[in-house]
Amino acid sequence: MKKIIVILIIGTLLIVSCNSKNAEQTESPVAYPTLTLKAQKANVSVEFPTTLEGEQTVEIRSKVDGYIEQVYVEEGSAVAKGQPLFKIDANSYLQEVNNKKAAVLAAEASLETSVIQTKRTAALAEKKIINNYELTSAKNIERVKRAELSQANADLSASKSKLAFTNIVSPINGVVGSLPFKIGSLVSSSAPEPLTTVANTKNIFAYFSLSQQQLNSFLSQYSGNQLKDKFRNMPEVSLVTADGGTYPSKGKIQTLSGVLNASTGSANFKAVFPNPEGKLWSGASATIVIPTEFEAAILVPKKAVFELQGRFFVFTVDAKNVVHNTEIKIRNTSTEKEYVVTEGVKSGDTIITDGIGNLRDGVKIAPIVPSSKK
């Protein structure tokens, strides 16, 4: 009996010992890679989607109704100011001009007859053969005939203008856009779609937008009391085209819209890029890249940051190796792998750099300190 009791006691002690060891193993801190932050000089960039427009873009529309008789240009071709683009069938307008010319001749003849009649009436009135009423009546008829001649000349001028409008020429130097209407198409002066567009792409304007919150942060980076001074101190910007290539020439931010967009609350910027070889196209999409240099930036790896309801957080590690869920504020500028932090952490703070999906606030960890590079 005593042996059985001793065996039971020994077994119980062994079970308690094993459970204690398992508990110790379960509660032992998990190792996580850490990073001690340090303020450093950084060259970062911010990217914004942009829409490209030519320095001047003109919609070409027909001022008269008719069928297209000739198309003198091709899509994408360069044209000079005054160069013919389209020819509208002019037969009906030519006939109208001839009719108006005939009306002018008739009005001239009628006026000439009226002038002769006025002179004869004036001579008779001077001899007291007729009274002054008849003279006044003759003069009034002459005035009417002169007015009729003026109207006939005005009608002729309008008809000639319509005839001239059948020859559509380019109003500027530029590049021809798409040509939705071909020879034989019926066009109208009230058509919603233009015949084509001509864009002067010697310089290309790149338009991009910043939210009201981004605007203040963006402008505060550059010295100057007035907006024009800040623009002067802004660096040159780059353009990444839709195919991923970088446009070789740099651009310059020139203007900011004075009124925020009522529907989006954003401000519109315009950057200008030279385009002497015509490699950039009006209407194309691209990405504008704005470089920014910081003398003492706190850089946090993007993989160490998580977002929750529009707010950004990292896990900081205190002196006892306990992690804390810490909110940070970041700039809208970043490197490829890092955010620039403005609030929440400072130089000397330690953060978890990887595996944050398994962490929770208040957990003790075993920090893995990266080896220093020689």
Side-chain angles (χ1 to χ4, degrees):
M1 186 66 179
K2 289 182 179 179
K3 290 182 179 181
I4 294 173
I5 294 173
V6 170
I7 291 171
L8 290 174
I9 292 172
I10 293 173
T12 302
L13 292 174
L14 289 172
I15 292 172
V16 171
S17 176
C18 289
N19 289 339
S20 298
K21 289 181 180 180
N22 290 335
E24 288 177 0
Q25 291 175 357
T26 303
E27 294 176 359
S28 61
V30 178
Y32 284 91
T34 61
L35 173 68
T36 300
L37 302 177
K38 181 181 179 182
Q40 56 188 294
K41 187 173 182 178
N43 293 313
V44 298
S45 61
V46 59
E47 298 182 355
F48 296 100
T50 181
T51 301
L52 306 182
E53 289 187 13
E55 184 176 356
Q56 187 179 13
T57 302
V58 179
E59 291 185 342
I60 306 299
R61 296 180 179 273
S62 176
K63 293 184 178 181
V64 294
D65 301 343
Y67 292 95
I68 295 179
E69 196 172 75
Q70 290 290 335
V71 178
Y72 298 113
V73 292
E74 296 180 352
E75 294 181 2
S77 60
V79 294
K81 182 178 180 179
Q83 181 175 333
L85 302 177
F86 302 92
K87 177 72 169 65
I88 306 297
D89 180 24
N91 288 333
S92 60
Y93 299 103
L94 181 60
Q95 182 179 353
E96 184 179 347
V97 167
N98 292 332
N99 290 338
K100 299 303 180 182
K101 285 181 177 179
V104 168
L105 293 175
E108 288 175 343
S110 182
L111 174 60
E112 185 177 355
T113 300
S114 179
V115 170
I116 293 172
Q117 184 62 37
T118 300
K119 289 181 179 179
R120 291 181 57 187
T121 304
L124 293 174
E126 187 178 351
K127 296 178 179 180
K128 306 298 182 182
I129 297 174
I130 59 176
N131 56 34
N132 289 331
Y133 171 79
E134 293 186 20
L135 177 59
T136 301
S137 179
K139 288 180 178 179
N140 288 339
I141 292 174
E142 182 182 339
R143 291 193 187 97
V144 170
K145 298 303 180 182
R146 290 187 185 278
E148 289 176 350
L149 177 59
S150 295
Q151 182 63 55
N153 280 320
D155 292 342
L156 175 59
S157 178
S159 297
K160 287 182 176 179
S161 294
K162 289 181 180 180
L163 180 60
F165 291 152
T166 60
N167 293 299
I168 302 175
V169 300
S170 176
I172 60 172
N173 298 327
V175 178
V176 177
S178 62
L179 298 170
F181 297 95
K182 310 302 180 184
I183 293 176
S185 299
L186 177 63
V187 295
S188 169
S189 57
S190 59
E193 187 177 11
L195 299 180
T196 188
T197 58
V198 177
N200 180 354
T201 57
K202 183 178 180 181
N203 290 306
I204 284 288
F205 297 154
Y207 293 93
F208 63 99
S209 300
L210 271 69
S211 68
Q212 189 172 355
Q213 292 77 14
Q214 292 174 320
L215 177 62
N216 295 329
S217 174
F218 177 74
L219 292 177
S220 65
Q221 301 175 61
Y222 308 106
S223 60
N225 295 325
Q226 297 183 4
L227 199 56
K228 63 179 181 180
D229 299 324
K230 291 183 178 292
F231 281 133
R232 189 163 48 247
N233 293 322
M234 287 180 184
E236 290 185 319
V237 295
S238 302
L239 195 69
V240 178
T241 54
D243 61 359
T246 300
Y247 184 63
S249 299
K250 300 287 187 178
K252 188 71 176 176
I253 299 175
Q254 284 193 346
T255 61
L256 166 65
S257 59
V259 180
L260 295 179
N261 187 302
S263 59
T264 63
S266 60
N268 295 322
F269 284 83
K270 181 183 78 175
V272 181
F273 290 85
N275 190 36
E277 298 179 3
K279 292 182 178 180
L280 298 177
W281 296 84
S282 183
S285 297
T287 300
I288 194 166
V289 181
I290 305 173
T292 304
E293 183 177 290
F294 295 98
E295 292 296 330
I298 301 296
L299 300 179
V300 171
K302 290 182 178 180
K303 65 180 181 179
V305 179
F306 64 96
E307 184 179 356
L308 184 62
Q309 295 181 346
R311 300 159 65 189
F312 297 89
F313 298 86
V314 294
F315 282 107
T316 56
V317 183
D318 63 17
K320 296 181 179 181
N321 294 334
V322 176
V323 300
H324 300 280
N325 190 356
T326 305
E327 183 178 1
I328 60 173
K329 303 289 186 183
I330 62 174
R331 289 187 180 271
N332 63 325
T333 54
S334 65
T335 66
E336 183 179 352
K337 297 181 179 181
E338 297 167 309
Y339 289 118
V340 180
V341 179
T342 59
E343 295 180 30
V345 291
K346 62 185 183 300
S347 182
D349 289 346
T350 300
I351 64 170
I352 304 294
T353 59
D354 206 353
I356 60 176
N358 300 320
L359 276 174
R360 67 180 185 275
D361 193 68
V363 173
K364 188 172 184 178
I365 59 103
I368 301 175
V369 180
S371 59
S372 60
K373 296 180 181 180
K374 296 183 180 180

